[in-house]
Amino acid sequence: MNWRKSAFGVFLVAMVLSLQLIAAPQAMAMSTSNASVTFRRAVVAWYDNRGKLQMNVTWVNKVVNFTNLTKGCPLHHANITPKVNVSIVTLYNMTEKHEQLLFFRLNFYNETFNYTMYALVYRAERSQYNFTLVTKIFSDPKTGEYRVFLTGMNIAPANEKKSLPVGDVILTANNLTLSQYYWTLNRVLMKLRKHDETKWIWGRSAYELRHLSHLVRLKLPEYNQEKAVGMAISLDSWKCEICEALVWILCSIGGGYLGCDVACTEVCLPFGWAAPICMTICIPECRYVESVLIGGGCALGAYAVCSEIGACS
């Protein structure tokens, strides 16, 4: 078993260095003015035969700039129509004053293609920070069973001095239920934060992951049965580009009004593996965009609207 975990570690480091981020989970906190992130550690986490959490940590310190990633986003161009239709069904909705938990079924289809996956969105507004998490659950096309959890996490401290443009990449090598996956990410972050500059942000992120693990186990038992390996990505970047695409979506339906979850799904689909990152930025921004559109209308233009809410400087 150890050689297998070592092989995972070598693969994970190679993946980070080559920017093939779809193969790994991460957790990050960034300042709102940064468009780059330093991937510090590549972590493989697994449970041994006694159920004890094991970790293989490799320091990477790879700086990645994401500024150019969104330039090819097709939703920035009104004459391009997405080739895949999307049907979204809300399976669970828990909305309270300071937190929200949503669970969706998404069906992607056209004349020759039909695929079903799931998505979980969790948001928490605390006095010291806001936390947003989006998990895409990829299923087997034939059986419908879970195969991969791909998660984007973003913690935005109220005090900008506590924000760090860093990321730790984590691969959970065991097949875990969704609640076990969040619980494991919590434990990994608690270990990584010790004697480290990420102590504050990872400690609070770990708290939210523990809380989310309990919510999934108690509130979503029917969707917490199957197991999969875990992957996560979390950033706070590209606000201007995502905001402008969001304005285009909200204004392109003849003045219609979409819910933020649906609108952000449309905006973030073209980002591929980075869609969970996009969602963690898009969803909190959407309500502010809608408020400006209601007051001033779509004639203001995307850049003006996004400048109004501070997404574009």
Side-chain angles (χ1 to χ4, degrees), residues 88-235:
I88 304 175
V89 178
T90 302
L91 301 175
Y92 181 81
N93 184 345
M94 181 199 78
T95 302
E96 298 180 352
K97 184 176 181 181
H98 297 294
E99 62 185 41
Q100 184 177 42
L101 175 62
L102 301 167
F103 196 81
F104 303 99
R105 181 176 67 240
L106 299 91
N107 182 237
F108 302 86
Y109 63 95
N110 56 24
E111 293 81 0
T112 60
F113 178 79
N114 195 317
Y115 179 70
T116 298
M117 62 178 291
Y118 301 89
L120 181 147
V121 177
Y122 172 70
R123 297 192 290 261
E125 296 182 1
R126 312 300 183 194
S127 60
Q128 294 181 306
Y129 61 88
N130 289 337
F131 181 85
T132 307
L133 177 147
V134 178
T135 296
K136 295 165 66 176
I137 303 174
F138 295 92
S139 62
D140 188 294
K142 295 182 179 179
T143 66
E145 296 178 350
Y146 294 171
R147 283 294 175 261
V148 173
F149 302 133
L150 177 58
T151 297
M153 286 182 286
N154 178 55
I155 182 169
N159 183 351
E160 279 289 321
K161 294 181 180 179
K162 294 184 179 294
S163 295
L164 296 172
V166 299
D168 287 320
V169 182
I170 307 163
L171 172 66
T172 54
N174 299 100
N175 281 316
L176 304 171
T177 65
L178 191 57
S179 62
Q180 290 170 342
Y181 166 60
Y182 292 135
W183 183 261
T184 302
L185 289 178
N186 141 64
R187 294 187 63 190
V188 170
L189 291 186
M190 288 299 289
K191 286 179 175 290
L192 292 178
R193 68 188 284 271
K194 293 181 179 179
H195 312 294
D196 191 80
E197 63 178 333
T198 59
K199 181 176 181 179
W200 192 91
I201 55 175
W202 281 178
R204 281 145 185 82
S205 297
Y207 165 80
E208 297 297 343
L209 287 163
R210 287 195 299 274
H211 180 55
L212 178 57
S213 176
H214 290 305
L215 286 177
V216 170
R217 182 168 52 85
L218 297 174
K219 304 294 186 180
L220 300 172
E222 63 270 44
Y223 304 109
N224 190 41
Q225 302 300 320
E226 300 172 13
K227 297 183 177 182
V229 295
M231 303 182 260
I233 305 169
S234 182
L235 293 171

Side-chain angles (χ1 to χ4, degrees), residues 8 11 36 41 96 115 151 159 176 234 243 273 278 288-289 299:
F8 269 125
F11 167 76
S36 63
R41 294 165 287 203
E96 298 180 352
Y115 179 70
T151 297
N159 183 351
L176 304 171
S234 182
C243 178
W273 63 264
C278 174
Y288 301 113
V289 170

